[in-house]
Amino acid sequence: ATFLVYTFIILIILYFSLSYYLLDPLSSFFFLMIRRPPRSTLSSSSAASDVYKRQVSTQSTGDHHQSPMSLESWIAFNDSPGKKTSRQPVDLFVILDLEETSAEYRQIDPQEIIEISAIAVSATTGNITSEFHCLVKPEAHPQLSEHCVATSGITQAALDADGHSFVEALGHLHDWFRYLKINSGEASFSFVTMGDRDLMTLLPRAAKAHRITLPDYFSSWVNLKGAFASTYGVKPSGLLDMLEVLRIHHVGRQHGGIDACRNVCRIVSRMVWDGALLELTTEFGQPYRPAPKARKQDVKLSGIPQLR
């Protein structure tokens, strides 16, 4: 009887030992064989690869055959097809820059807008969504000064050939907003400017001269200088200082409208990637004050039993 008991105990120990050392690795092996790779991998069954293969097949069947880029390059230049989240208060940041008439050693009155440039940046990824550029013909002083041509890069011939009236330029900007789905309310946005002068002085003055009522969204914006100072603890004097702090090279013309927007866009993208929160600095022409956070009041009523 004692021999049978010992034999039974040994068999039980052998059974559990074999189960632990053999069956568990085998089950893990078969599980790994049938498991689908994660969405972020570069394997042939990932979600990014599925989108990539559809795009490559579309390019190959088109009229002009193009050599497809590698999957790694495609992921580097395209957004991930997975779900995205953002901590920003809006969906888009619209970087706006206005160029005006100027002269050297004398004041031009009135100063008129000659260029409207804007770039839409995704508040989630920091990538450029779309660009807008429009030349505006001045009416009070139709001839540009040599100083204005040298600083802005806008020639008189280009302004005469491609320029629009101020009313037409605002209409084109409105159409661009419709393309971005801003007018329909599908996408929320905030203007981002270098300083307050463009939206606080230049645009309202031009609208008043042309007897135009501007939409309310032109009265709220983000002053990038203030947001930059609060994020990095450095009070910049201008665009070049901000680029130097972030070790980003300046590209294009310093006072060129679309070039200035592109340089500001690189700063905004960097701040989005760094997790900085870009909130309004001016709302409806007044300094923006965020709503105070609600605080839970700890009040106990005497004589009434409290729920726990």
Side-chain angles (χ1 to χ4, degrees):
T2 305
F3 175 77
L4 293 177
V5 171
Y6 284 134
T7 304
F8 181 73
I9 295 175
I10 292 174
L11 290 176
I12 292 177
I13 294 174
L14 290 176
Y15 172 78
F16 284 106
S17 299
L18 292 175
S19 300
Y20 179 79
Y21 288 103
L22 294 178
L23 297 180
D24 187 69
L26 287 175
S27 61
S28 301
F29 173 76
F30 287 114
F31 173 76
L32 291 174
M33 290 294 292
I34 64 174
R35 184 176 65 90
R36 180 180 176 85
R39 297 174 66 89
S40 59
T41 60
L42 298 178
S43 61
S44 58
S45 60
S46 64
S49 175
D50 296 339
V51 180
Y52 164 76
K53 287 187 291 186
R54 287 197 298 268
Q55 180 170 327
V56 170
S57 62
T58 304
Q59 294 178 354
S60 301
T61 55
D63 297 335
H64 304 281
H65 179 73
Q66 300 177 355
S67 58
M69 65 174 64
S70 64
L71 177 58
E72 292 83 357
S73 301
W74 183 89
I75 293 179
F77 286 96
N78 290 270
D79 292 338
S80 171
K83 182 180 179 181
K84 307 179 185 66
T85 58
S86 173
R87 62 190 298 264
Q88 302 295 340
V90 294
D91 300 321
L92 295 173
F93 291 118
V94 177
I95 294 121
L96 182 70
D97 183 76
L98 305 177
E99 295 296 327
E100 58 184 342
T101 54
S102 61
E104 192 174 13
Y105 305 123
R106 65 186 179 91
Q107 181 69 30
I108 294 182
D109 189 28
Q111 286 184 294
E112 300 174 275
I113 297 174
I114 59 174
E115 185 181 22
I116 301 177
S117 304
I119 295 180
V121 177
S122 171
T124 303
T125 62
N127 297 335
I128 294 178
T129 302
S130 179
E131 292 186 354
F132 175 85
H133 179 252
C134 183
L135 297 178
V136 183
K137 293 182 179 179
E139 298 178 358
H141 304 281
Q143 294 295 321
L144 300 179
S145 64
E146 295 182 0
H147 174 75
C148 184
V149 173
T151 55
S152 65
I154 303 173
T155 62
Q156 188 67 46
L159 193 63
D160 295 338
D162 303 326
H164 302 268
S165 66
F166 178 75
V167 178
E168 293 174 346
L170 281 186
H172 295 326
L173 185 62
H174 186 79
D175 294 338
W176 185 59
F177 285 163
R178 185 182 297 111
Y179 163 76
L180 295 176
K181 299 182 180 180
I182 290 176
N183 294 338
S184 61
E186 297 179 57
S188 58
F189 83 104
S190 293
F191 282 113
V192 178
T193 60
M194 285 292 298
D196 299 326
R197 190 168 185 268
D198 285 353
L199 290 177
M200 184 174 286
T201 304
L202 291 183
L203 194 62
R205 184 174 61 191
K208 183 178 180 181
H210 291 84
R211 298 179 180 180
I212 297 175
T213 301
L214 294 174
D216 291 337
Y217 51 70
F218 280 111
S219 59
S220 302
W221 62 89
V222 178
N223 185 344
L224 191 60
K225 291 182 180 179
F228 187 91
S230 61
T231 300
Y232 299 105
V234 179
K235 188 176 182 180
S237 59
L239 176 61
L240 296 180
D241 288 345
M242 300 167 72
L243 292 172
E244 184 178 357
V245 170
L246 299 178
R247 297 182 180 181
I248 299 176
H249 293 287
H250 182 274
V251 295
R253 189 181 296 271
Q254 182 176 356
H255 295 286
I258 194 64
D259 288 339
C261 281
R262 288 167 181 165
N263 284 291
V264 174
C265 171
R266 298 165 75 191
I267 297 175
V268 172
S269 299
R270 172 66 179 274
M271 295 180 70
V272 170
W273 297 335
D274 288 345
L277 192 62
L278 295 176
E279 294 184 319
L280 292 176
T281 55
T282 303
E283 186 177 31
F284 299 112
Q286 301 295 327
Y288 174 72
R289 293 182 177 87
K293 296 182 179 179
R295 293 184 299 177
K296 182 179 180 180
Q297 297 182 356
D298 189 11
V299 179
K300 294 184 179 180
L301 302 178
S302 59
I304 300 177
Q306 302 298 312
L307 298 176
R308 296 289 183 181

